[in-house]
Amino acid sequence: MPAAAPAVEARVTDLIREAIVRGDYAPNQRLIEADLSESFSASRATVRTALLELASEGLVERLPNKGSRVRAISLDEAIEILEVRIGLEGLCAAKTAEGLTDAEAAEFEGLRAAMLAAVDEGDLVEYARLHQRLDARVRELSRHATAAGVLARLYAQSIRYHFKLASKPARAKVSLLEHVAIVDAILARDPDAAERAVRAHLLSVIDALRDLAA
Amino acid sequence: MPAAAPAVEARVTDLIREAIVRGDYAPNQRLIEADLSESFSASRATVRTALLELASEGLVERLPNKGSRVRAISLDEAIEILEVRIGLEGLCAAKTAEGLTDAEAAEFEGLRAAMLAAVDEGDLVEYARLHQRLDARVRELSRHATAAGVLARLYAQSIRYHFKLASKPARAKVSLLEHVAIVDAILARDPDAAERAVRAHLLSVIDALRDLAA
DNA sequence: TCATCCAAAATCGTTGACAATTTCTACCCC
DNA sequence: GGGGTAGAAATTGTCAACGATTTTGGATGA
């Protein structure tokens, strides 16, 4: 049996999603089915399916009989997404703190040390990678499929704003302290403190985003 | 122009969704494209698109090369959904309390009176209708499209459990008090109190659901 | 009896073509 | 010259057919 090639459909969806997230297609740019069909050498129906899927993820906007376009996330929407994330990531952090195993605790200690080192060395890219990994692990270890699923979607939508924030050096120091507080609360196995720490962090991100716009 | 007939695609999606929510198709029942195609007299491609859409809403489960089935929401999942709703509905209630106009306040006072009357008369069906309307209005008036969108999806998924709870007469009295508390907090234009009231209510629903299973 | 294998049926995935709708363009009339 | 209009071009929506994959049922042999 040849190494189980993934369905074309799923593959095309991923390719288009990556292209959007990477910024190959500008916000509000029209996505014409026939063009994508040629670009990715897939049938138009396959592309159509992919666009449908991406529309449900919030990355693409579909107007009946008028085609698809890359959905532009406004600053207001980005803030809305962060507000929703307060509730969801707070929940995940609390659950993670509640059910933390010793092995998981060790992993978080490692991440905390690595984040501190990265910021100390001024390596913003590495720090961004690490704190994304921290967020992802908190979501996974919460074992809360519903919250994790919703968060994954929201995250993809607002990725553009993540880049903008991550490029501000002054932001890293604030962000670091907040993330350390989150890790500390989880390591203390204190669900309430973890939820509060997440809330504080995301409120701070909202403020930073507002400043960025002003 | 003739009253803008909706696209067949959207119509079929709605029909299948209603059939699932109404319970015409049992959980885990296989949904065969060819059969649905005949039932709704639409092409298989249209049905396929509809199933894809419903899968993204969480109502249908799609296994690659193995077809679609009505997704069965386990009790654990229903509880997860309620946990997520705490964060989201709490947010909506806070926003609604924050920006409440006098006209909206009058509407909530009317709903509160109607709910009290319905439970007093033992009309459980009317009470269920009213408190669903209350929830919906809180979502709408929060003007938080992101939270409202996520909530709409989660609500459709867990509708089966709503029915189960709504049919317990003893539950109505508890539920009524909690909803009155929510309305009171909103009318007082106190965001924090509204969020706490929503949290208390949903935690109580989680308990009730656990009892139901035991 | 039971496990194994193979063929046939059922079902999904993909494609190309056609129909319906929207958008663009050139033209005409005022 | 401006505005509206008919027709053409571009694009999406729908369909039926073909190919690929999975499941089913029964025949075979130990």
Side-chain angles (χ1 to χ4, degrees), chain A residues 80 83 95 144 146 153, chain B residues 80 83 95 144 146 153:
Chain A
E80 277 198 4
E83 289 174 339
K95 293 267 175 195
H144 201 296
T146 306
R153 260 215 294 268
Chain B
E80 277 198 5
E83 288 174 339
K95 293 268 175 194
H144 200 296
T146 305
R153 258 216 296 266

Side-chain angles (χ1 to χ4, degrees), chain A:
Chain A
M1 186 170 48
V8 175
E9 179 179 311
R11 215 164 43 73
V12 171
T13 305
D14 291 341
L15 287 174
I16 299 179
R17 185 191 297 107
E18 285 163 21
I20 293 175
V21 167
R22 192 168 47 232
D24 290 358
Y25 300 120
N28 279 325
Q29 180 176 335
R30 289 197 58 187
L31 298 172
I32 288 146
E33 298 180 359
D35 293 355
L36 296 175
S37 170
E38 190 172 359
S39 300
F40 297 101
S41 46
S43 83
R44 200 163 69 80
T46 305
V47 169
R48 197 179 164 71
T49 302
L51 288 176
L52 231 33
E53 172 72 25
L54 294 173
S56 84
E57 291 178 18
L59 283 176
V60 164
E61 199 173 13
R62 278 174 62 78
L63 311 174
N65 283 313
K66 294 175 72 177
S68 309
R69 59 171 68 186
V70 178
R71 197 158 88 87
I73 303 286
S74 68
L75 180 68
D76 284 346
E77 272 180 286
I79 290 175
E80 277 198 4
I81 289 173
L82 283 165
E83 289 174 339
V84 168
R85 281 178 55 190
I86 290 177
L88 270 53
E89 293 193 14
L91 174 62
C92 286
K95 293 267 175 195
T96 299
E98 211 175 301
L100 196 73
T101 68
D102 290 344
E104 290 162 8
E107 184 186 344
F108 280 126
E109 281 169 1
L111 271 171
R112 180 175 58 182
M115 287 195 300
L116 284 163
V119 171
D120 195 47
E121 293 167 15
D123 189 344
L124 292 185
V125 174
E126 174 68 2
Y127 172 66
R129 207 182 59 77
L130 286 167
H131 91 67
Q132 277 174 29
R133 182 170 164 73
L134 171 63
D135 291 355
R137 283 305 273 165
V138 170
R139 284 205 303 270
E140 286 164 24
L141 298 179
S142 70
R143 275 151 231 280
H144 201 296
T146 306
V150 174
L151 281 170
R153 260 215 294 268
L154 295 177
Y155 189 80
Q157 288 177 33
S158 55
I159 189 128
R160 223 169 285 273
Y161 289 94
H162 288 242
F163 286 142
K164 284 192 186 167
L165 270 188
S167 61
K168 303 276 282 184
R171 175 82 200 132
K173 291 201 172 59
V174 181
S175 168
L176 174 66
L177 289 179
E178 293 165 1
H179 276 105
V180 167
I182 294 173
V183 174
D184 287 347
I186 289 175
L187 287 175
R189 293 178 167 76
D190 183 339
D192 286 346
E195 191 172 339
R196 280 197 305 273
V198 166
R199 172 181 292 262
H201 167 56
L202 288 173
L203 284 174
S204 145
V205 174
I206 290 177
D207 281 345
L209 217 54
R210 283 227 173 80
D211 287 349
L212 206 66

Side-chain angles (χ1 to χ4, degrees), chain B residues 128-144:
Chain B
R129 206 183 61 78
L130 286 167
H131 92 67
Q132 277 174 28
R133 181 170 166 74
L134 170 63
D135 290 356
R137 283 306 273 165
V138 169
R139 286 205 302 270
E140 286 165 24
L141 298 178
S142 70
R143 275 150 232 280
H144 200 296

